[in-house]
Amino acid sequence: MKNIILLLFVIFSSCSQKIDVSKIDFINGYWQIQKVEDANGNEKEYKINEFYDYFEVKKNIGFHKKVQWQPTNKFLVNDAQDNLKIIPKDDKVFLEFYSQFGKHKDELIFLSKNEMILESKEKVKFYYDKVIINTNK
């Protein structure tokens, strides 16, 4: 019986992955959303997306904006942006977005150099892939 309980503990603890706050700089740069999964497991894939999400964070403070790639190898950018605060809390990491239009907080579920998953309070998951931009053309 003890072995079963230990096995279940190992399985459940390995399923939840703690975000390494020291690697939060991985969030900096351009990201494209690949899919959204709602709380019921329904998925919507984004095979073609002309908008990119740009994040810039230093010392847990920064901003997020939507940008649009142009054929001239430039981005169409406007002044609209969300301020961003990274909030580590109870072995979790939250991204608090706020602007003059309101605020919301998403949990950072996974972050690597190339992938990121955010989850809203409604349990909607947003899957992103990092985009390497070459603007030297």
Side-chain angles (χ1 to χ4, degrees):
M1 182 68 176
K2 286 183 182 180
N3 290 338
I4 292 173
I5 293 172
L6 181 60
L7 178 62
L8 289 174
F9 175 76
V10 169
I11 289 170
F12 286 117
S13 64
S14 65
C15 291
S16 63
Q17 190 168 12
K18 185 178 172 186
I19 301 295
D20 185 352
V21 180
S22 70
K23 296 187 175 155
I24 202 71
D25 286 346
F26 288 170
I27 200 171
N28 289 326
Y30 297 92
W31 297 84
Q32 270 199 318
I33 194 153
Q34 296 303 311
K35 72 177 178 178
V36 175
E37 181 182 317
D38 70 17
N40 297 321
N42 301 313
E43 294 182 359
K44 178 179 181 182
E45 290 192 28
Y46 292 86
K47 295 181 191 279
I48 298 174
N49 190 349
E50 61 188 77
F51 291 96
Y52 293 67
D53 287 79
Y54 178 76
F55 290 86
E56 188 173 308
V57 175
K58 293 178 184 167
K59 297 184 181 178
N60 291 345
I61 302 286
F63 66 90
H64 162 256
K65 42 173 54 207
K66 296 278 189 184
V67 297
Q68 186 175 17
W69 183 251
Q70 301 296 296
T72 59
N73 283 346
K74 303 279 184 199
F75 282 104
L76 181 60
V77 179
N78 61 30
D79 292 334
Q81 74 179 31
D82 290 320
N83 293 309
L84 178 62
K85 188 186 300 183
I86 307 296
I87 304 171
K89 182 179 180 185
D90 300 330
D91 289 335
K92 295 182 180 183
V93 176
F94 295 92
L95 277 62
E96 183 177 76
F97 299 89
Y98 55 99
S99 71
Q100 64 185 7
F101 303 109
K103 82 177 184 180
H104 71 279
K105 190 171 14 176
D106 292 340
E107 184 179 347
L108 184 59
I109 301 296
F110 179 80
L111 179 64
S112 71
K113 287 182 180 181
N114 300 312
E115 296 178 74
M116 174 171 62
I117 303 172
L118 298 177
E119 184 176 70
S120 71
K121 69 178 180 179
E122 295 82 16
K123 301 297 181 196
V124 175
K125 290 182 182 170
F126 301 88
Y127 294 79
Y128 293 88
D129 283 345
K130 187 77 162 264
V131 179
I132 306 301
I133 302 298
N134 182 0
T135 57
N136 295 331
K137 291 184 178 180

